[in-house]
Structure formats: structure tokens, C-alpha cells
């Protein structure tokens, strides 16, 4: 996951914009009558940081539900709220998905699914850039008392160096990596982070991506080892790690990978030769 700051948009004005632009007068009147209700729910969302465990699920008639959900269609290019989509995507970090923080995004995801929470279908705080894989796996899952997905706009781990931990295993025939949630995370979000990692299957996704990253640096590490042995390898790994953090922040998955590589004595003392 990559943290991102919520947009400073007038979210009430966004709702009023889509209401005014609906073509059917009956839909326009229906949505207009819901304005105060939606404004109140927007306030609840902000106060609860979007948490599905404490955000109320409203019961709407099928007609109202369909109207609220279809407001999202007006965020596409050329529509009355097309600028919202553009602004959110521009606010992404390195064009990466906000859920996995690793793959390029392809569109937007509703943190609280619009089929369950249609009132938040155009709420900028509820929309995050997302890749197709995460969007498919997240689907309409909301969460429970056992955990929820991390919210890129509200969950912050400023107190830790990375929300991820990576164990590197170089004592077998090839180098293997295992990703898990950092035990340094605050207890309040530990379960949510584990839920996020499990439901999106990010542990295996990061391990697969790590293979490509390791192959790309193998030659560099071989040269470093010939020049200065283990110390030179660690120096090179730390140099690459600093560059990653400068570009994408400490919660980018590669930061955890490089931290794990530096911590594995077998890897830096020659185990990198098993990269394949």
C-alpha cells in the first residue's frame, strides 16, 4: 500500500454537479431530495476515516440505489465530473496502484464498494487509483471485526520504516523471498494490514515481482563482490534502497525487499549467485 493525501475538493459541490447534470428530470429531483442525507453521510465518512466497521449501511429503495450508484458514470472523460477522475489519478505516487503499491493503476477503486455504499460513489475520499488485479480480488469485500483493507487516504504508518517485512532465504538452491506484515506496526492496524495482505494475495505477488528485481541487480552485485566483498555488496544494496525510498517512500514494497537482502548474511556473502 502507498499512502496518499486526500484531495482538497468540495465534495458537496461534486454531488450537486452530478445532480444538476442528470438528464432525466425524475432522477434529478430524486437526487436533489437526498442532498442533506448525502452531505450528512459524507461527514460520517470523514469522521470515521472510511472504516467499513463503523460506517453505517443505509437502506435505499432500488431506484435511489441505482441513481446514486450510476453517478459514478459521470466521472469518466467528457462527463460533468470527469475532472475528478483526472485529479485523483494525477495524485497517485509513481502511477502505482494504491492498494498493492506495486503495479500500474488502470482506473479507480471504491474503497467502500459502491454496490453496498452507493452514497459514496463519487466521494473523492473514497476513490483510489487501483490496478486490475487488486480491483478483481477486492471486489465487493468490505471487511469485518477480523480486519479490513487499508485505506490509502487515511491509514498512516509514519511511526515505522515500512509496513512490510521481507525474509530472504538464500540457503537453498535459489534465492527466495517471503513477505509479511511488519511486527513494528501499531497494534491497532496490525490485523487490518494482515487482512489487506491476505485478501489481495500480495505476499505471493511481491515475491514474484522480487524475482525480476533480483535478476536486474545480479550483475551489479557480482561486480561489487569482486571489488570489495560482502561490505561492497551491502553498500550497493543500501545505495539502491535509498534511491527507492527517495522516489516512492518507505512503504514501497522494494524498500522491504532491500532491507531483507541486506539482513541476510548468506545473500550478501555470495548467495546472490543463486539468483535465477
Amino acid at each position: 500500500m502507498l499512502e496518499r493525501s486526500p484531495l482538497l475538493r468540495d465534495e458537496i459541490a461534486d454531488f450537486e454537479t452530478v445532480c444538476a447534470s442528470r438528464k432525466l428530470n425524475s432522477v434529478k429531483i430524486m437526487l436533489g431530495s437526498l442532498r442533506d442525507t448525502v452531505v450528512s453521510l459524507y461527514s460520517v465518512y470523514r469522521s470515521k476515516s472510511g472504516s467499513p466497521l463503523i460506517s453505517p449501511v443505509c437502506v435505499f429503495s432500488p431506484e435511489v440505489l441505482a441513481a446514486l450508484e450510476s453517478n459514478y458514470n459521470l466521472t469518466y472523460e467528457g462527463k460533468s465530473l470527469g475532472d475528478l477522475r483526472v485529479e485523483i489519478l494525477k495524485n497517485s505516487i509513481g502511477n502505482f496502484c494504491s492498494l498493492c503499491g506495486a503495479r500500474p493503476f488502470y482506473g479507480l477503486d471504491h474503497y467502500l464498494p459502491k454496490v453496498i455504499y452507493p452514497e459514496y460513489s463519487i466521494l473523492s475520499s473514497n476513490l483510489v487509483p487501483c490496478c486490475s488485479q487488486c480491483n478483481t480480488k477486492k471486489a465487493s469485500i468490505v471487511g469485518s471485526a477480523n480486519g479490513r483493507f487499508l485505506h490509502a487516504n487515511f491509514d498512516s504508518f509514519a511511526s515505522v520504516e515500512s509496513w512490510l517485512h521481507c525474509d530472504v532465504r538464500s540457503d537453498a538452491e535459489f534465492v527466495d523471498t517471503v513477505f509479511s506484515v511488519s511486527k513494528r506496526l501499531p497494534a491497532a492496524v496490525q490485523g487490518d494490514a494482515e487482512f489487506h495482505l491476505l485478501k489481495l494475495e500480495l505476499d505471493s505477488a511481491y515475491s514474484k515481482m522480487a524475482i525480476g528485481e533480483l535478476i536486474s541487480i545480479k550483475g551489479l552485485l557480482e561486480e561489487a563482490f569482486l571489488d570489495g566483498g560482502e561490505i561492497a555488496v551491502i553498500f550497493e544494496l543500501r545505495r539502491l534502497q535509498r534511491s527507492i525510498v527517495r522516489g516512492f517512500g518507505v512503504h514501497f514494497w522494494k524498500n522491504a525487499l532491500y532491507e531483507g537482502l541486506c539482513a541476510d548474511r548468506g545473500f550478501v556473502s555470495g548467495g546472490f549467485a543463486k539468483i535465477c
Side-chain angles (χ1 to χ4, degrees), residues 35-93:
R35 180 191 180 281
D36 291 345
T37 298
V38 171
V39 169
S40 175
L41 291 170
Y42 280 7
S43 179
V44 171
Y45 188 99
R46 288 190 294 273
S47 68
K48 306 301 183 183
S49 300
S51 174
L53 307 185
I54 45 184
S55 295
V57 177
C58 298
V59 179
F60 297 108
S61 69
E63 295 78 13
V64 169
L65 191 153
L68 287 170
E69 189 175 346
S70 63
N71 279 341
Y72 180 66
N73 297 333
L74 299 178
T75 67
Y76 287 96
E77 184 178 358
K79 302 295 184 178
S80 60
L81 211 59
D83 67 309
L84 172 62
R85 175 179 294 269
V86 171
E87 194 172 347
I88 291 175
L89 294 180
K90 282 185 177 179
N91 193 38
S92 64
I93 300 174

Side-chain angles (χ1 to χ4, degrees), residues 63-160:
E63 295 78 13
V64 169
L65 191 153
L68 287 170
E69 189 175 346
S70 63
N71 279 341
Y72 180 66
N73 297 333
L74 299 178
T75 67
Y76 287 96
E77 184 178 358
K79 302 295 184 178
S80 60
L81 211 59
D83 67 309
L84 172 62
R85 175 179 294 269
V86 171
E87 194 172 347
I88 291 175
L89 294 180
K90 282 185 177 179
N91 193 38
S92 64
I93 300 174
N95 293 327
F96 289 118
C97 167
S98 294
L99 294 175
C100 65
R103 293 177 289 245
F105 63 71
Y106 90 107
L108 298 180
D109 173 73
H110 290 82
Y111 177 76
L112 293 184
K114 67 180 186 296
V115 296
I116 302 175
Y117 297 89
E119 63 272 28
Y120 301 134
S121 66
I122 59 168
L123 182 66
S124 63
S125 304
N126 191 50
L127 297 169
V128 293
C130 183
C131 68
S132 58
Q133 293 94 323
C134 283
N135 187 265
T136 298
K137 288 182 172 62
K138 183 172 178 286
S140 299
I141 300 172
V142 173
S144 67
N146 295 323
R148 61 171 175 82
F149 292 106
L150 298 175
H151 200 316
N153 289 337
F154 293 103
D155 287 315
S156 178
F157 309 131
S159 62
V160 295

Side-chain angles (χ1 to χ4, degrees), residues 221-238 261-272:
L221 299 183
E222 288 175 337
E223 291 182 8
F225 191 74
L226 289 174
D227 289 340
E230 179 181 328
I231 293 177
V233 171
I234 294 176
F235 178 86
E236 199 60 49
L237 290 172
R238 291 298 188 194
L261 295 175
C262 290
D264 187 77
R265 183 66 182 275
F267 181 84
V268 298
S269 62
F272 55 81

Side-chain angles (χ1 to χ4, degrees), residues 177-194:
T177 57
V178 178
F179 288 84
S180 59
V181 172
S182 171
K183 298 303 181 184
R184 296 180 181 180
L185 279 183
V189 295
Q190 187 78 37
D192 295 335
E194 291 174 352

